[in-house]
């Protein structure tokens, strides 16, 4: 009997070595940069292959997997738009970090805001800086890096288009104001709006302040809105906005940084009753729900814009596995872009039938991918691939990653 068990053990060991060698033969050719891999048979839990899986990498937008976990774990079926309290002469509104208010893809009206009473907006719940830790200063005028707020409006973006009739703005508050656009657009790029040709469009982040926020909302709602402190009582009512899943699909498929940051902040409403910032939320998660990650990450924002973030391939597959256990595979799959079909994966391995459901993350010198893939032999693999510090183009590394995963699909 002992010989029989020893024989089985040897067979298992030989098979494991064989799988490792087969993976090693098809790995992308390393040109001196940092690479990490992990592939797990999701049905059996067996790790088929790993290399540098416990080493730290800049995750870029795969950070959004952790924001996805926080949102699905803490938030209800719909986002909280704001909280409100009506008194005989005033409507008090407290911001709740909802990214959808007057967002061009999620516009809706709230009857409670359209009455005749003056509104006092309490925007003080967020106590952090306007930008995330480690965000690049020279990206401040790009529309993928906007400011954070407890009551963001229009995605925190100013959009302008030159028509034959003149300039069109969103918010249209700017159509008839004397605002100096160079003062509210970072890096002094407001002048670009004045130089637009007919048919051209631009989109810039707004440097928000209380006066600007009050002006935009007063114009939209047709009533006087001031920024101030709301009474600290327990009788506020909740106003909900869009469904949680629609917001998360938008965040994950488009890799939308603004939605990621705001949804992480909104999940903090379930952790803290007073002031909130991103650092407090992350610290709370790492000390509680995520205390058992294989390697403790350095995690500083919700979107992955910061190069201060550091995660391992094992961390990525662990958070995906944790979400699958809470949400189920089918719901989780709806949040993950699919190769050849949608989102950031639409042009990834597009010649292949759909087989990858994963979140990518990229910036200069960084390309990562983590999620699920189905092989030709019917296996469902949980995987993480991380590439850092390369000098070639992101598109080349992305293409090499696609070719590698197609090989994995056919061989395993």
């Amino acid at each position: 009997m002992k010989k029989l068990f020893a024989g089985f053990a040897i067979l298992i060991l030989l098979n494991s070595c064989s799988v490792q060698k087969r993976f090693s033969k098809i790995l992308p050719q390393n040109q001196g940069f940092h690479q990490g891999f992990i592939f797990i048979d999701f049905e059996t839990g067996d790790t088929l292959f790993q290399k540098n899986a416990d080493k730290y990498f800049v995750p870029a937008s795969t950070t959004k997997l952790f924001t996805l976990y926080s949102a699905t774990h803490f938030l209800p079926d719909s986002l909280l738009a704001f909280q409100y309290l009506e008194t005989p002469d005033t409507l008090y509104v407290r911001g709740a970090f909802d990214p959808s208010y007057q967002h061009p893809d999620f516009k809706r009206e709230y009857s409670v805001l359209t009455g005749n009473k003056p509104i006092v907006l309490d925007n003080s719940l967020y106590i952090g800086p306007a930008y995330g830790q480690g965000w690049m200063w020279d990206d401040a005028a790009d529309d993928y890096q906007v400011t954070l707020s407890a009551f963001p409006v229009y995605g925190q973006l100013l959009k302008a288009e030159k028509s034959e009739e003149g300039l069109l703005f969103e918010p249209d508050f700017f159509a008839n104001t004397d605002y100096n656009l160079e003062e509210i657009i970072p890096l002094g790029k407001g002048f670009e709006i004045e130089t637009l040709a007919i048919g051209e469009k631009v989109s810039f982040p707004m440097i928000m302040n209380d006066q600007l926020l009050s002006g935009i909302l007063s114009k939209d709602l047709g009533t006087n809105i001031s920024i101030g402190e709301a009474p600290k009582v327990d009788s506020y009512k909740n106003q909900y906005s869009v469904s949680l899943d629609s917001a998360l699909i938008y965040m994950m498929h488009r890799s939308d940084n603004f939605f990621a940051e705001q949804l992480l902040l909104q999940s903090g409403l379930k952790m803290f009753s007073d002031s909130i910032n991103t650092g407090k939320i992350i610290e709370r998660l790492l000390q509680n729900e995520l205390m058992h990650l294989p390697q403790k990450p350095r995690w500083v924002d919700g979107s992955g814009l910061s190069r201060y973030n550091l995660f391992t391939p094992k961390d990525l597959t662990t958070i995906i596995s944790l979400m699958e256990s809470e949400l189920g595979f089918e719901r989780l799959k709806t949040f993950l872009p699919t190769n050849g079909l949608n989102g950031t994966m639409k042009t990834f391995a597009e010649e292949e039938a759909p087989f990858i459901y994963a979140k990518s993350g990229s910036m200069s010198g960084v390309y990562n991918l983590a999620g699920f893939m189905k092989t030709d032999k019917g296996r469902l693999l949980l995987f993480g691939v991380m590439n850092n510090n390369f000098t070639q183009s992101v598109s080349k590394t992305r293409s090499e990653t696609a070719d590698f995963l197609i090989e994995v699909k056919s061989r395993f």
Side-chain angles (χ1 to χ4, degrees), residues 20-38:
Q20 292 276 334
K21 287 180 179 179
R22 287 159 60 199
F23 264 101
S24 298
K25 287 180 179 179
I26 61 172
L27 287 179
Q29 292 300 309
N30 191 319
Q31 303 299 320
F33 54 84
H34 194 31
Q35 292 178 305
F37 306 89
I38 185 167

Side-chain angles (χ1 to χ4, degrees), residues 179-366:
Y179 260 94
N180 182 349
L181 295 181
E182 293 194 34
E183 292 181 359
I184 65 165
I185 295 175
L187 307 182
K189 290 198 173 185
F191 75 93
E192 293 186 15
I193 292 177
E194 302 299 331
T195 61
L196 290 177
I198 293 177
E200 283 189 316
K201 302 177 182 180
V202 290
S203 180
F204 290 113
M206 293 185 284
I207 301 175
M208 297 297 294
N209 55 52
D210 287 351
Q211 181 184 3
L212 180 57
L213 179 59
S214 172
I216 291 172
L217 290 173
S218 296
K219 174 70 163 57
D220 283 351
L221 299 173
T223 189
N224 179 54
I225 295 181
S226 59
I227 309 299
E229 186 174 347
K232 298 186 184 300
V233 296
D234 296 327
S235 51
Y236 282 83
K237 296 179 180 179
N238 291 335
Q239 173 67 60
Y240 292 94
S241 61
V242 301
S243 73
L244 173 63
D245 282 14
S246 67
L248 291 175
I249 290 171
Y250 190 88
M251 175 189 84
M252 294 294 287
H253 285 212
R254 296 171 61 101
S255 202
D256 191 283
N257 298 320
F258 167 63
F259 266 65
E261 297 297 340
Q262 295 294 142
L263 291 176
L264 181 61
L265 287 168
Q266 183 162 125
S267 69
L269 293 173
K270 297 295 183 179
M271 308 176 201
F272 306 102
S273 58
D274 54 358
S275 56
I276 290 174
N277 63 47
T278 302
K280 284 176 65 174
I281 295 167
I282 290 173
E283 182 179 12
R284 160 69 170 71
L285 285 165
L286 293 179
Q287 290 177 352
N288 294 274
E289 290 80 10
L290 302 181
M291 65 182 298
H292 297 300
L293 289 171
Q295 288 79 38
K296 183 179 179 180
R298 184 167 76 185
W299 178 18
V300 302
D301 68 12
S303 62
L305 277 170
S306 177
R307 289 182 183 266
Y308 291 176
N309 292 309
L310 290 172
F311 292 83
T312 70
K314 282 185 177 179
D315 288 335
L316 298 185
T317 53
T318 299
I319 198 70
I320 293 169
S321 181
L322 181 57
M323 285 191 285
E324 194 280 337
S325 68
E326 292 189 4
L327 307 177
F329 179 74
E330 291 302 321
R331 185 181 176 206
L332 176 57
K333 190 173 73 170
T334 65
F335 302 133
L336 300 174
T338 304
N339 71 290
L341 286 186
N342 50 40
T344 54
M345 294 289 286
K346 189 171 184 178
T347 60
F348 187 94
E350 58 187 326
E351 71 281 1
E352 299 287 323
F355 74 103
I356 297 175
Y357 315 96
K359 182 72 193 78
S360 62
S362 63
M363 56 176 63
S364 178
V366 174

Side-chain angles (χ1 to χ4, degrees), residues 83-149:
Q83 296 178 309
Y84 65 95
L85 173 69
E86 289 191 84
T87 67
D89 57 359
T90 305
L91 176 67
Y92 292 95
V93 175
R94 296 197 300 201
F97 305 102
D98 178 20
S100 72
Y101 183 80
Q102 291 292 57
H103 190 282
D105 295 322
F106 290 93
K107 283 188 176 179
R108 59 174 296 178
E109 294 184 357
Y110 299 99
S111 59
V112 69
L113 298 178
T114 58
N116 295 320
K117 294 179 182 178
I119 297 174
V120 174
L121 172 63
D122 189 335
N123 198 33
S124 64
L125 193 58
Y126 179 64
I127 60 167
Y131 297 99
Q133 184 181 353
W135 288 8
M136 303 293 285
W137 71 267
D138 53 351
D139 289 343
D142 293 318
D143 60 8
Y144 54 80
Q145 184 173 294
V146 302
T147 55
L148 309 179
S149 173

